[in-house]
Amino acid sequence: MQPDEQKTLAELGIDKASYHELLDYLIIQVKESIEELHKAISLDDFDQAARTAHALKGMAGNLRIEKIQTIAKSLELGCKNDKNRLAAEADVDRLKEALSELEQHMP
């Protein structure tokens, strides 16, 4: 689930402790985003859901957490194009699973 940590540290130019702090922050943001996504999707507010997914995609991408980034991208595109509540909820469920995996690999 986690990227090659040494490579990521070198690319970002930060130390391991700073990276782990950023990962902790990402985990908090993903949890908050999941709640926001549930609310927006339940109200059929796909524009808001797409914005939330876009922000999440960027945060995950910056930290090289590709699984979350990929799911967020799928969710963003689905909300913009398909506006399908069931498909969006399925992506949110996948986000929860990816978050759980990330948390399990945290030191």
Side-chain angles (χ1 to χ4, degrees):
M1 176 66 193
Q2 278 187 281
D4 177 344
E5 195 169 88
Q6 292 301 323
K7 180 180 175 187
T8 299
L9 294 176
E11 288 174 357
L12 297 177
I14 59 176
D15 61 33
K16 190 173 187 174
S18 297
Y19 181 66
H20 287 200
E21 285 180 32
L22 290 170
L23 285 176
D24 288 339
Y25 179 75
L26 175 69
I27 288 169
I28 292 167
Q29 293 302 307
V30 172
K31 288 177 181 179
E32 291 176 3
S33 294
I34 286 170
E35 294 304 316
E36 291 173 19
L37 288 163
H38 277 303
K39 183 178 178 181
I41 293 165
S42 73
L43 298 171
D44 289 333
D45 188 350
F46 291 101
D47 291 336
Q48 179 59 44
R51 286 190 296 274
T52 300
H54 179 81
L56 188 55
K57 177 183 75 175
M59 286 186 280
N62 287 339
L63 295 178
R64 313 306 193 261
I65 308 298
E66 292 178 9
K67 188 168 188 176
I68 291 175
Q69 181 185 23
T70 300
I71 297 166
K73 180 180 179 179
S74 171
L75 179 57
E76 177 188 12
L77 293 174
C79 287
K80 285 181 176 180
N81 300 324
D82 302 332
K83 301 183 191 304
N84 179 309
R85 186 184 289 185
L86 292 176
E89 286 292 351
D91 277 339
V92 173
D93 288 342
R94 291 176 50 221
L95 274 175
K96 288 180 193 175
E97 292 170 12
L99 174 63
S100 178
E101 289 176 24
L102 178 61
E103 289 178 310
Q104 288 175 6
H105 290 94
M106 289 295 292

